[in-house]
Coordinates of all heavy atoms in Angstrom, one line a residue:
M1 N -17.4 9.5 6.0 CA -16.1 9.0 5.9 C -15.5 9.2 4.5 O -16.2 9.1 3.5 CB -16.1 7.5 6.2 CG -14.7 6.8 6.1 SD -14.7 5.0 6.3 CE -15.6 4.8 7.8
S2 N -14.3 9.6 4.5 CA -13.7 9.9 3.1 C -13.4 8.6 2.4 O -13.3 7.5 3.0 CB -12.3 10.6 3.3 OG -11.3 9.7 3.9
I3 N -13.3 8.7 1.1 CA -13.0 7.6 0.2 C -11.6 7.0 0.6 O -11.4 5.8 0.7 CB -13.0 8.0 -1.3 CG1 -14.4 8.6 -1.7 CG2 -12.6 6.8 -2.2 CD1 -15.6 7.6 -1.4
Q4 N -10.6 7.9 0.8 CA -9.3 7.5 1.3 C -9.4 6.6 2.5 O -8.8 5.5 2.6 CB -8.5 8.7 1.5 CG -7.0 8.3 1.9 CD -6.1 9.6 2.0 OE1 -6.6 10.7 1.7 NE2 -5.0 9.4 2.6
Q5 N -10.3 7.0 3.5 CA -10.3 6.1 4.7 C -11.0 4.8 4.5 O -10.7 3.8 5.0 CB -11.1 6.9 5.8 CG -11.1 6.2 7.1 CD -9.7 6.0 7.7 OE1 -8.9 7.0 7.8 NE2 -9.4 4.8 8.1
Q6 N -12.1 4.9 3.5 CA -12.7 3.6 3.1 C -11.8 2.6 2.5 O -11.8 1.4 2.8 CB -13.9 3.9 2.2 CG -15.1 4.6 2.8 CD -16.1 4.9 1.7 OE1 -16.3 4.3 0.7 NE2 -16.9 6.0 2.0
I7 N -10.9 3.1 1.6 CA -9.9 2.3 1.0 C -9.0 1.7 2.0 O -8.8 0.4 2.0 CB -9.1 3.1 -0.1 CG1 -10.0 3.5 -1.3 CG2 -7.8 2.3 -0.5 CD1 -9.3 4.5 -2.2
E8 N -8.5 2.6 2.9 CA -7.6 2.0 3.9 C -8.4 0.9 4.8 O -7.8 -0.1 5.1 CB -7.1 3.1 4.8 CG -6.0 2.6 5.8 CD -5.4 3.8 6.5 OE1 -5.2 4.8 5.9 OE2 -5.0 3.6 7.7
D9 N -9.6 1.2 5.2 CA -10.3 0.2 6.1 C -10.5 -1.1 5.4 O -10.4 -2.2 6.0 CB -11.7 0.9 6.4 CG -11.5 2.0 7.4 OD1 -10.5 2.2 8.0 OD2 -12.6 2.7 7.7
H10 N -11.0 -1.1 4.1 CA -11.2 -2.3 3.3 C -9.9 -3.1 3.2 O -9.9 -4.3 3.3 CB -11.8 -2.0 2.0 CG -13.2 -1.6 2.2 ND1 -13.9 -0.7 1.4 CD2 -14.2 -2.1 3.0 CE1 -15.2 -0.5 1.7 NE2 -15.4 -1.4 2.7
L11 N -8.8 -2.4 2.9 CA -7.6 -3.1 2.8 C -7.1 -3.8 4.1 O -6.7 -5.0 4.1 CB -6.4 -2.2 2.3 CG -6.6 -1.6 0.9 CD1 -5.6 -0.6 0.6 CD2 -6.5 -2.8 -0.1
L12 N -7.3 -3.0 5.2 CA -7.0 -3.6 6.6 C -7.9 -4.9 6.8 O -7.4 -5.9 7.4 CB -7.2 -2.6 7.6 CG -6.2 -1.5 7.6 CD1 -6.6 -0.3 8.5 CD2 -4.8 -2.0 8.1
E13 N -9.2 -4.8 6.5 CA -10.1 -5.8 6.8 C -9.8 -7.1 5.9 O -9.8 -8.2 6.4 CB -11.5 -5.4 6.5 CG -12.1 -4.4 7.4 CD -13.4 -3.8 6.9 OE1 -14.0 -4.3 5.9 OE2 -13.9 -2.8 7.5
Q14 N -9.5 -6.9 4.6 CA -9.5 -8.0 3.6 C -8.1 -8.6 3.5 O -7.9 -9.8 3.2 CB -9.9 -7.5 2.3 CG -11.3 -7.0 2.2 CD -12.3 -8.1 2.5 OE1 -12.1 -9.2 1.9 NE2 -13.3 -7.8 3.2
L15 N -7.0 -7.7 3.7 CA -5.6 -8.2 3.4 C -4.8 -8.3 4.7 O -3.6 -8.8 4.6 CB -5.0 -7.4 2.4 CG -5.7 -7.3 1.1 CD1 -5.0 -6.3 0.1 CD2 -5.8 -8.7 0.4
S16 N -5.2 -8.0 5.8 CA -4.4 -8.0 7.1 C -3.0 -7.5 6.8 O -2.0 -8.2 7.2 CB -4.4 -9.3 7.7 OG -5.8 -9.8 7.9
P17 N -2.8 -6.4 6.3 CA -1.5 -5.9 6.0 C -0.6 -5.5 7.3 O -1.2 -5.1 8.2 CB -1.6 -4.7 5.1 CG -3.0 -4.1 5.6 CD -3.8 -5.3 5.9
S18 N 0.7 -5.7 7.1 CA 1.5 -5.2 8.2 C 1.9 -3.7 8.0 O 2.3 -3.1 8.8 CB 2.8 -6.1 8.2 OG 3.5 -6.0 6.9
F19 N 1.6 -3.3 6.7 CA 1.8 -1.8 6.4 C 0.8 -1.5 5.3 O 0.6 -2.3 4.4 CB 3.2 -1.6 5.9 CG 3.5 -0.2 5.6 CD1 3.8 0.8 6.5 CD2 3.5 0.2 4.2 CE1 4.0 2.1 6.2 CE2 3.7 1.5 3.9 CZ 4.0 2.5 4.8
V20 N 0.2 -0.3 5.4 CA -0.7 0.2 4.4 C -0.5 1.7 4.3 O -0.5 2.3 5.4 CB -2.2 -0.3 4.5 CG1 -2.8 0.3 5.8 CG2 -3.0 0.0 3.3
E21 N -0.5 2.2 3.2 CA -0.4 3.7 3.0 C -1.3 4.0 1.8 O -1.1 3.4 0.7 CB 1.0 4.1 2.7 CG 1.2 5.6 2.5 CD 2.7 5.9 2.2 OE1 3.1 5.7 1.0 OE2 3.3 6.3 3.1
V22 N -2.2 4.9 2.0 CA -3.1 5.4 1.0 C -2.9 6.9 0.8 O -3.2 7.6 1.8 CB -4.6 5.0 1.2 CG1 -5.5 5.5 0.1 CG2 -4.7 3.5 1.5
A23 N -2.6 7.3 -0.4 CA -2.5 8.8 -0.6 C -3.4 9.2 -1.7 O -3.4 8.6 -2.7 CB -1.0 9.0 -1.0
N24 N -4.1 10.2 -1.4 CA -5.0 10.8 -2.5 C -4.2 11.7 -3.3 O -3.6 12.7 -3.0 CB -6.1 11.7 -1.7 CG -7.1 12.3 -2.7 OD1 -6.9 12.2 -4.0 ND2 -8.1 12.8 -2.2
E25 N -4.0 11.3 -4.6 CA -3.3 12.0 -5.6 C -4.1 12.8 -6.6 O -3.7 13.2 -7.7 CB -2.3 11.1 -6.3 CG -1.3 10.5 -5.4 CD -0.2 9.7 -6.1 OE1 -0.6 9.1 -7.2 OE2 0.9 9.6 -5.6
S26 N -5.4 12.9 -6.3 CA -6.4 13.5 -7.2 C -6.0 15.0 -7.6 O -6.2 15.4 -8.7 CB -7.7 13.6 -6.6 OG -8.2 12.2 -6.4
D27 N -5.3 15.7 -6.7 CA -4.9 17.1 -7.0 C -3.9 17.2 -8.0 O -3.6 18.3 -8.6 CB -4.4 17.8 -5.7 CG -3.1 17.2 -5.2 OD1 -2.9 15.9 -5.4 OD2 -2.4 17.9 -4.4
Q28 N -3.3 16.1 -8.4 CA -2.2 16.0 -9.5 C -2.9 15.8 -10.9 O -2.2 15.6 -11.8 CB -1.2 14.9 -9.2 CG -0.5 15.2 -7.9 CD 0.4 14.1 -7.5 OE1 0.9 13.3 -8.4 NE2 0.7 14.0 -6.2
H29 N -4.2 15.7 -10.9 CA -4.9 15.3 -12.1 C -5.9 16.3 -12.5 O -6.2 17.2 -11.7 CB -5.6 13.9 -12.0 CG -4.6 12.8 -11.7 ND1 -3.9 12.1 -12.7 CD2 -4.0 12.3 -10.6 CE1 -3.1 11.3 -12.2 NE2 -3.1 11.3 -10.9
N30 N -6.5 16.3 -13.7 CA -7.4 17.3 -14.1 C -8.8 16.9 -13.6 O -9.7 16.4 -14.5 CB -7.4 17.3 -15.7 CG -8.2 18.5 -16.2 OD1 -8.4 19.5 -15.6 ND2 -8.6 18.3 -17.4
V31 N -9.0 17.1 -12.3 CA -10.3 16.8 -11.7 C -10.7 18.0 -10.9 O -9.9 18.7 -10.4 CB -10.3 15.5 -10.9 CG1 -10.1 14.2 -11.8 CG2 -9.3 15.5 -9.8
P32 N -11.9 18.1 -10.5 CA -12.3 19.2 -9.6 C -11.6 19.1 -8.2 O -11.1 18.2 -7.7 CB -13.8 18.9 -9.3 CG -14.3 18.1 -10.5 CD -13.1 17.3 -10.9
V33 N -11.4 20.3 -7.7 CA -10.8 20.5 -6.4 C -11.5 19.7 -5.3 O -12.7 19.5 -5.4 CB -10.8 22.0 -6.0 CG1 -10.2 22.2 -4.6 CG2 -10.0 22.8 -7.0
N34 N -10.7 19.0 -4.4 CA -11.2 18.2 -3.3 C -11.7 16.9 -3.9 O -12.5 16.2 -3.1 CB -12.2 18.9 -2.5 CG -11.6 20.1 -1.8 OD1 -10.4 20.1 -1.3 ND2 -12.3 21.2 -1.7
S35 N -11.4 16.4 -5.0 CA -11.8 15.2 -5.5 C -11.1 14.0 -4.8 O -10.0 14.2 -4.3 CB -11.5 15.0 -7.1 OG -12.3 15.9 -7.8
E36 N -11.7 12.8 -4.9 CA -11.1 11.6 -4.3 C -11.3 10.5 -5.4 O -12.2 9.7 -5.3 CB -11.7 11.2 -3.0 CG -11.4 12.1 -1.8 CD -11.9 11.5 -0.5 OE1 -13.1 11.5 -0.3 OE2 -11.0 10.9 0.2
T37 N -10.5 10.6 -6.4 CA -10.6 9.8 -7.6 C -9.3 9.0 -7.9 O -9.4 8.0 -8.6 CB -11.0 10.6 -8.8 OG1 -10.1 11.6 -9.1 CG2 -12.5 11.2 -8.7
H38 N -8.2 9.5 -7.5 CA -6.9 9.0 -7.9 C -6.1 8.7 -6.7 O -5.8 9.6 -5.9 CB -6.1 9.9 -8.8 CG -6.7 10.2 -10.2 ND1 -7.9 10.9 -10.3 CD2 -6.3 9.7 -11.4 CE1 -8.2 10.9 -11.6 NE2 -7.3 10.3 -12.2
F39 N -5.6 7.5 -6.5 CA -4.9 7.1 -5.2 C -3.7 6.3 -5.5 O -3.6 5.6 -6.4 CB -5.9 6.3 -4.3 CG -7.0 7.1 -3.8 CD1 -8.3 7.1 -4.5 CD2 -7.0 7.7 -2.6 CE1 -9.3 7.8 -4.0 CE2 -8.0 8.5 -2.2 CZ -9.2 8.5 -2.8
R40 N -2.7 6.6 -4.6 CA -1.5 5.7 -4.6 C -1.6 4.8 -3.4 O -1.8 5.3 -2.3 CB -0.3 6.7 -4.5 CG 1.0 5.9 -4.4 CD 2.2 6.9 -4.4 NE 3.5 6.3 -4.2 CZ 4.0 6.1 -3.0 NH1 3.4 6.4 -1.9 NH2 5.2 5.5 -2.9
V41 N -1.5 3.6 -3.6 CA -1.7 2.6 -2.4 C -0.5 1.7 -2.4 O 0.0 1.1 -3.3 CB -3.0 1.7 -2.8 CG1 -3.1 0.6 -1.7 CG2 -4.2 2.6 -2.9
V42 N 0.1 1.6 -1.1 CA 1.2 0.7 -0.9 C 0.6 -0.3 0.2 O 0.1 0.1 1.2 CB 2.3 1.5 -0.2 CG1 3.5 0.5 0.1 CG2 2.9 2.6 -1.2
V43 N 0.7 -1.6 -0.1 CA 0.2 -2.6 0.7 C 1.3 -3.7 1.0 O 1.9 -4.1 0.0 CB -1.1 -3.2 0.2 CG1 -1.6 -4.3 1.2 CG2 -2.1 -2.2 -0.1
V44 N 1.6 -4.0 2.2 CA 2.5 -5.1 2.5 C 1.6 -6.2 3.3 O 1.1 -6.0 4.3 CB 3.6 -4.6 3.5 CG1 4.6 -5.8 3.9 CG2 4.4 -3.5 2.8
S45 N 1.6 -7.3 2.6 CA 0.7 -8.4 3.2 C 1.3 -9.8 2.8 O 1.8 -10.0 1.7 CB -0.7 -8.3 2.6 OG -1.5 -9.4 3.0
E46 N 1.3 -10.7 3.8 CA 1.8 -12.1 3.5 C 0.8 -12.7 2.5 O 1.1 -13.8 2.0 CB 1.9 -12.8 4.8 CG 3.2 -12.4 5.5 CD 4.5 -12.3 4.7 OE1 4.8 -13.4 4.0 OE2 5.1 -11.3 4.7
Q47 N -0.3 -12.2 2.4 CA -1.3 -12.9 1.4 C -0.7 -12.7 0.0 O -1.2 -13.4 -1.0 CB -2.6 -12.2 1.4 CG -3.4 -12.6 2.7 CD -4.9 -12.0 2.7 OE1 -5.5 -12.1 1.7 NE2 -5.3 -11.6 3.8
F48 N 0.3 -11.9 -0.2 CA 0.9 -11.8 -1.6 C 2.0 -12.8 -1.8 O 2.5 -12.9 -2.9 CB 1.5 -10.4 -1.7 CG 0.5 -9.2 -1.6 CD1 0.8 -8.0 -1.1 CD2 -0.8 -9.4 -2.2 CE1 -0.1 -7.0 -1.0 CE2 -1.7 -8.4 -2.1 CZ -1.4 -7.2 -1.5
S49 N 2.4 -13.6 -0.7 CA 3.5 -14.5 -0.9 C 3.2 -15.5 -2.0 O 2.1 -16.1 -2.1 CB 3.7 -15.4 0.4 OG 4.2 -14.4 1.4
G50 N 4.2 -15.8 -2.9 CA 4.1 -16.7 -4.0 C 3.2 -16.2 -5.1 O 2.9 -17.0 -6.1
K51 N 2.7 -14.9 -5.1 CA 1.8 -14.4 -6.1 C 2.6 -13.4 -7.0 O 3.3 -12.6 -6.5 CB 0.6 -13.8 -5.5 CG -0.4 -14.8 -4.9 CD -1.6 -14.1 -4.3 CE -2.6 -15.1 -3.9 NZ -2.1 -16.1 -2.8
R52 N 2.3 -13.4 -8.2 CA 2.8 -12.4 -9.2 C 2.1 -11.1 -9.0 O 1.0 -11.1 -8.4 CB 2.8 -12.9 -10.5 CG 3.8 -14.1 -10.8 CD 3.8 -14.5 -12.2 NE 4.8 -15.7 -12.3 CZ 5.2 -16.0 -13.4 NH1 4.9 -15.5 -14.5 NH2 6.1 -17.0 -13.5
S53 N 2.5 -10.1 -9.6 CA 2.0 -8.8 -9.5 C 0.5 -8.7 -9.9 O -0.3 -8.1 -9.2 CB 2.8 -7.8 -10.4 OG 2.6 -6.5 -10.0
V54 N 0.1 -9.4 -11.0 CA -1.3 -9.4 -11.4 C -2.2 -10.0 -10.4 O -3.3 -9.5 -10.1 CB -1.5 -10.1 -12.7 CG1 -2.9 -10.3 -13.1 CG2 -0.8 -9.3 -13.8
A55 N -1.8 -11.1 -9.8 CA -2.6 -11.7 -8.8 C -2.7 -10.9 -7.5 O -3.8 -10.9 -6.9 CB -2.0 -13.2 -8.4
R56 N -1.7 -10.2 -7.1 CA -1.7 -9.3 -6.0 C -2.6 -8.2 -6.3 O -3.4 -7.8 -5.4 CB -0.3 -8.7 -5.7 CG 0.7 -9.8 -5.3 CD 2.1 -9.2 -5.2 NE 3.1 -10.2 -4.8 CZ 4.3 -9.9 -4.4 NH1 4.7 -8.7 -4.1 NH2 5.1 -10.9 -4.1
H57 N -2.5 -7.6 -7.5 CA -3.4 -6.5 -7.8 C -4.9 -6.9 -7.8 O -5.8 -6.2 -7.3 CB -3.1 -5.9 -9.1 CG -1.8 -5.2 -9.0 ND1 -1.4 -4.3 -10.1 CD2 -0.8 -5.1 -8.2 CE1 -0.3 -3.7 -9.8 NE2 0.1 -4.2 -8.6
Q58 N -5.2 -8.2 -8.3 CA -6.5 -8.7 -8.2 C -7.0 -8.8 -6.8 O -8.2 -8.6 -6.6 CB -6.6 -10.1 -8.9 CG -6.4 -10.0 -10.4 CD -6.2 -11.3 -11.1 OE1 -5.8 -12.3 -10.5 NE2 -6.6 -11.4 -12.4
L59 N -6.2 -9.2 -5.9 CA -6.7 -9.2 -4.4 C -7.0 -7.8 -3.9 O -8.0 -7.6 -3.2 CB -5.5 -9.8 -3.5 CG -5.3 -11.3 -3.7 CD1 -4.0 -11.6 -2.8 CD2 -6.5 -12.1 -3.1
V60 N -6.2 -6.9 -4.4 CA -6.6 -5.4 -3.9 C -7.9 -5.0 -4.6 O -8.8 -4.4 -4.0 CB -5.4 -4.5 -4.3 CG1 -5.8 -3.0 -4.1 CG2 -4.2 -4.9 -3.5
Y61 N -8.0 -5.3 -6.0 CA -9.3 -4.9 -6.6 C -10.5 -5.6 -6.0 O -11.5 -4.9 -5.9 CB -9.1 -5.4 -8.1 CG -8.1 -4.7 -9.0 CD1 -7.5 -5.4 -10.0 CD2 -7.6 -3.4 -8.6 CE1 -6.6 -4.8 -10.8 CE2 -6.6 -2.8 -9.4 CZ -6.1 -3.5 -10.5 OH -5.1 -3.0 -11.2
K62 N -10.4 -6.8 -5.6 CA -11.5 -7.5 -4.9 C -11.8 -6.8 -3.6 O -13.0 -6.6 -3.3 CB -11.2 -9.0 -4.7 CG -12.2 -9.7 -4.0 CD -11.8 -11.2 -3.8 CE -13.0 -12.0 -3.1 NZ -12.6 -13.4 -2.9
A63 N -10.8 -6.4 -2.8 CA -11.0 -5.7 -1.6 C -11.7 -4.4 -1.8 O -12.4 -3.9 -0.9 CB -9.8 -5.7 -0.8
L64 N -11.4 -3.7 -2.9 CA -11.9 -2.4 -3.2 C -13.0 -2.3 -4.3 O -13.1 -1.3 -4.9 CB -10.7 -1.5 -3.5 CG -9.6 -1.4 -2.6 CD1 -8.5 -0.5 -3.1 CD2 -10.1 -0.9 -1.2
A65 N -13.7 -3.4 -4.4 CA -14.7 -3.5 -5.5 C -15.7 -2.4 -5.5 O -16.1 -1.8 -6.5 CB -15.4 -4.9 -5.5
A66 N -16.1 -2.0 -4.3 CA -17.2 -1.0 -4.1 C -16.6 0.4 -4.5 O -17.3 1.1 -5.3 CB -17.7 -0.9 -2.7
E67 N -15.4 0.7 -4.1 CA -14.8 2.0 -4.5 C -14.5 2.0 -6.0 O -14.7 3.1 -6.6 CB -13.5 2.2 -3.6 CG -13.8 2.5 -2.2 CD -14.1 1.1 -1.4 OE1 -13.9 0.0 -1.9 OE2 -14.5 1.3 -0.3
L68 N -14.0 1.0 -6.6 CA -13.7 0.9 -7.9 C -15.0 1.0 -8.9 O -15.0 1.5 -10.0 CB -12.9 -0.3 -8.3 CG -11.5 -0.3 -7.8 CD1 -10.8 -1.7 -7.9 CD2 -10.7 0.8 -8.4
A69 N -16.1 0.5 -8.3 CA -17.4 0.6 -9.0 C -18.0 2.0 -9.0 O -18.9 2.3 -9.7 CB -18.4 -0.4 -8.5
G70 N -17.4 2.8 -8.1 CA -18.0 4.1 -7.9 C -17.0 5.3 -8.1 O -16.6 5.5 -9.2
P71 N -16.6 5.9 -7.0 CA -15.8 7.1 -7.1 C -14.4 7.0 -7.6 O -13.8 8.0 -8.1 CB -15.9 7.7 -5.7 CG -16.0 6.5 -4.8 CD -16.8 5.5 -5.6
V72 N -13.8 5.9 -7.4 CA -12.3 5.8 -7.7 C -12.1 5.5 -9.2 O -12.7 4.6 -9.8 CB -11.7 4.7 -6.9 CG1 -10.2 4.4 -7.2 CG2 -11.8 5.0 -5.4
H73 N -11.3 6.4 -9.7 CA -10.9 6.3 -11.2 C -9.7 5.5 -11.4 O -9.5 4.8 -12.4 CB -10.9 7.7 -11.8 CG -10.4 7.7 -13.2 ND1 -11.1 7.3 -14.2 CD2 -9.2 8.2 -13.7 CE1 -10.5 7.4 -15.4 NE2 -9.2 7.9 -15.0
A74 N -8.7 5.7 -10.6 CA -7.4 5.2 -10.8 C -6.6 4.9 -9.4 O -6.7 5.6 -8.5 CB -6.5 6.2 -11.6
L75 N -5.9 3.7 -9.5 CA -5.0 3.3 -8.3 C -3.7 3.1 -8.9 O -3.5 2.4 -9.9 CB -5.5 2.0 -7.8 CG -6.9 2.0 -7.1 CD1 -7.3 0.5 -6.7 CD2 -6.9 2.9 -5.9
A76 N -2.7 3.6 -8.2 CA -1.3 3.2 -8.5 C -1.0 2.3 -7.3 O -0.9 2.7 -6.2 CB -0.4 4.5 -8.4
L77 N -0.8 1.0 -7.7 CA -0.7 -0.1 -6.7 C 0.8 -0.5 -6.6 O 1.4 -0.7 -7.6 CB -1.5 -1.3 -7.0 CG -2.9 -1.1 -7.1 CD1 -3.6 -2.4 -7.5 CD2 -3.5 -0.7 -5.7
H78 N 1.2 -0.6 -5.3 CA 2.6 -1.1 -5.0 C 2.3 -2.2 -3.9 O 2.0 -1.8 -2.8 CB 3.5 0.0 -4.4 CG 3.5 1.1 -5.4 ND1 4.3 1.1 -6.5 CD2 2.9 2.4 -5.4 CE1 4.1 2.2 -7.2 NE2 3.3 3.0 -6.6
T79 N 2.5 -3.4 -4.3 CA 2.2 -4.6 -3.4 C 3.4 -5.4 -3.1 O 4.2 -5.7 -4.0 CB 1.1 -5.5 -4.0 OG1 1.6 -5.8 -5.4 CG2 -0.2 -4.7 -4.2
Y80 N 3.7 -5.6 -1.8 CA 4.9 -6.4 -1.4 C 4.5 -7.3 -0.2 O 3.6 -7.2 0.5 CB 5.9 -5.3 -0.8 CG 6.2 -4.2 -1.7 CD1 5.6 -3.0 -1.5 CD2 7.1 -4.3 -2.7 CE1 5.9 -1.9 -2.4 CE2 7.4 -3.3 -3.6 CZ 6.8 -2.1 -3.4 OH 7.1 -1.0 -4.2
T81 N 5.5 -8.3 -0.1 CA 5.4 -9.2 1.1 C 6.4 -8.5 2.1 O 7.0 -7.5 1.7 CB 6.1 -10.6 0.7 OG1 7.4 -10.4 0.3 CG2 5.3 -11.3 -0.4
A82 N 6.3 -9.0 3.2 CA 7.2 -8.4 4.4 C 8.6 -8.4 4.0 O 9.3 -7.4 4.3 CB 6.8 -9.1 5.7
D83 N 9.0 -9.5 3.5 CA 10.5 -9.7 3.1 C 10.8 -8.6 2.0 O 11.9 -7.9 2.0 CB 10.8 -11.0 2.6 CG 10.8 -12.1 3.7 OD1 10.9 -11.6 4.9 OD2 10.7 -13.2 3.5
E84 N 10.0 -8.5 1.0 CA 10.2 -7.5 0.0 C 10.3 -6.1 0.5 O 11.1 -5.3 0.1 CB 9.2 -7.6 -1.2 CG 9.2 -8.9 -1.9 CD 8.0 -9.2 -2.8 OE1 6.9 -8.5 -2.5 OE2 8.0 -10.0 -3.7
W85 N 9.3 -5.8 1.3 CA 9.2 -4.5 1.9 C 10.5 -4.2 2.8 O 11.0 -3.1 2.9 CB 8.0 -4.3 2.7 CG 7.7 -2.9 3.2 CD1 7.7 -2.5 4.5 CD2 7.5 -1.7 2.4 NE1 7.4 -1.2 4.6 CE2 7.3 -0.6 3.3 CE3 7.4 -1.5 1.0 CZ2 7.1 0.6 2.9 CZ3 7.2 -0.2 0.6 CH2 7.0 0.8 1.5
S86 N 10.9 -5.2 3.6 CA 12.1 -5.0 4.4 C 13.4 -4.6 3.7 O 14.2 -3.8 4.1 CB 12.4 -6.1 5.4 OG 12.8 -7.2 4.6
E87 N 13.5 -5.1 2.4 CA 14.6 -4.7 1.6 C 14.4 -3.4 1.0 O 15.4 -2.7 0.7 CB 14.7 -5.8 0.4 CG 15.1 -7.1 0.9 CD 15.1 -8.1 -0.2 OE1 15.1 -7.7 -1.4 OE2 15.1 -9.3 0.1
R88 N 13.2 -2.9 0.7 CA 12.9 -1.7 0.0 C 12.6 -0.5 0.9 O 13.2 0.5 0.8 CB 11.7 -2.0 -0.9 CG 11.1 -0.8 -1.6 CD 10.0 -1.3 -2.6 NE 10.6 -1.9 -3.8 CZ 10.8 -1.2 -4.9 NH1 10.3 0.0 -5.0 NH2 11.3 -1.7 -6.0
Q89 N 11.6 -0.6 1.7 CA 11.1 0.4 2.8 C 10.5 1.7 2.1 O 10.1 2.5 2.8 CB 12.3 0.8 3.7 CG 12.8 -0.4 4.6 CD 11.6 -0.7 5.6 OE1 11.0 0.1 6.2 NE2 11.4 -2.0 5.8
V90 N 10.5 1.7 0.8 CA 9.9 2.9 0.2 C 9.4 2.4 -1.2 O 10.0 1.6 -1.9 CB 10.9 4.1 0.0 CG1 12.0 3.8 -0.9 CG2 10.1 5.3 -0.3
A91 N 8.2 2.9 -1.6 CA 7.6 2.6 -2.9 C 7.8 3.7 -3.9 O 8.1 4.9 -3.4 CB 6.1 2.3 -2.7
P92 N 7.9 3.4 -5.1 CA 8.1 4.4 -6.1 C 7.0 5.5 -6.1 O 5.9 5.2 -5.8 CB 8.1 3.7 -7.5 CG 8.0 2.2 -7.2 CD 7.7 2.1 -5.7
E93 N 7.4 6.7 -6.5 CA 6.4 7.8 -6.6 C 5.7 7.6 -7.8 O 6.1 6.9 -8.8 CB 7.1 9.1 -6.6 CG 7.9 9.5 -5.3 CD 6.9 9.6 -4.1 OE1 5.8 10.2 -4.3 OE2 7.2 9.1 -3.0
S94 N 4.4 8.1 -7.9 CA 3.6 8.1 -9.1 C 4.2 9.0 -10.1 O 4.7 10.1 -9.8 CB 2.2 8.4 -8.7 OG 1.6 7.5 -7.9
P95 N 4.1 8.6 -11.4 CA 4.5 9.6 -12.4 C 3.6 10.8 -12.5 O 2.5 10.8 -12.1 CB 4.5 8.7 -13.7 CG 3.5 7.6 -13.4 CD 3.6 7.4 -11.9
A96 N 4.2 11.8 -13.1 CA 3.3 13.0 -13.4 C 2.2 12.7 -14.3 O 2.3 11.9 -15.3 CB 4.2 14.2 -13.9
C97 N 1.1 13.3 -14.1 CA -0.1 13.2 -14.9 C 0.2 13.7 -16.3 O 0.6 14.8 -16.4 CB -1.3 13.8 -14.3 SG -2.8 13.7 -15.3
L98 N -0.2 13.0 -17.3 CA 0.0 13.5 -18.6 C -1.4 13.8 -19.3 O -1.4 14.1 -20.5 CB 0.7 12.4 -19.5 CG 2.1 12.1 -19.1 CD1 2.7 11.0 -19.9 CD2 3.0 13.3 -19.1
G99 N -2.4 13.7 -18.5 CA -3.8 14.0 -19.0 C -4.0 15.5 -19.3 O -3.1 16.3 -18.9
G100 N -5.2 15.8 -19.8 CA -5.5 17.2 -20.2 C -5.5 18.1 -19.0 O -6.0 17.8 -17.9
G101 N -4.9 19.3 -19.2 CA -5.0 20.3 -18.2 C -3.9 20.3 -17.1 O -3.8 21.4 -16.4
K102 N -3.2 19.3 -16.9 CA -2.1 19.4 -15.9 C -0.7 19.2 -16.5 O -0.5 18.5 -17.4 CB -2.4 18.2 -14.9 CG -3.6 18.4 -14.0 CD -3.3 19.3 -12.9 CE -4.5 19.5 -12.0 NZ -4.3 20.4 -10.9

């Protein structure tokens, strides 16, 4: 199973999201071809209600502890409640990598 699929599965299990999108953005970074190290994650969950951004991110980090301890180097997190998502319907794109080689 791919790391991308593991991330999605763990988010579905732990946060019961109404929407989840996981995109592998590793190809935009200075890593070997076919790496799974950099991801953009959009999660819409009522578990985020009443929580600030840091607390929401902590819930995601907890759900993805195994991946963060291993192969995942970076996550671009976009966390919303259903009401916030209904107003937005699209998350910001990740900025261009400024790291070496790209």
Side-chain angles (χ1 to χ4, degrees):
M1 178 184 313
S2 71
I3 302 302
Q4 183 174 350
Q5 187 61 54
Q6 288 177 29
I7 290 171
E8 187 171 328
D9 289 350
H10 286 143
L11 292 172
L12 290 168
E13 290 169 13
Q14 299 294 316
L15 299 177
S16 303
S18 57
F19 179 82
V20 64
E21 178 181 83
V22 179
N24 183 352
E25 296 185 330
S26 300
D27 64 335
Q28 300 171 25
H29 298 272
N30 190 26
V31 296
V33 175
N34 298 322
S35 291
E36 288 190 283
T37 56
H38 295 70
F39 294 90
R40 178 176 176 269
V41 176
V42 181
V43 183
V44 178
S45 175
E46 285 310 309
Q47 290 189 38
F48 299 146
S49 291
K51 292 182 173 54
R52 293 184 180 198
S53 202
V54 170
R56 293 175 183 198
H57 289 196
Q58 288 171 334
L59 287 171
V60 173
Y61 297 150
K62 183 178 177 184
L64 303 179
E67 290 78 13
L68 290 168
V72 175
H73 172 73
L75 293 174
L77 296 178
H78 305 283
T79 55
Y80 306 99
T81 63
D83 288 341
E84 293 166 342
W85 186 245
S86 70
E87 293 175 16
R88 175 176 277 263
Q89 293 296 314
V90 68
E93 294 297 320
S94 296
C97 178
L98 298 176
K102 290 277 180 181

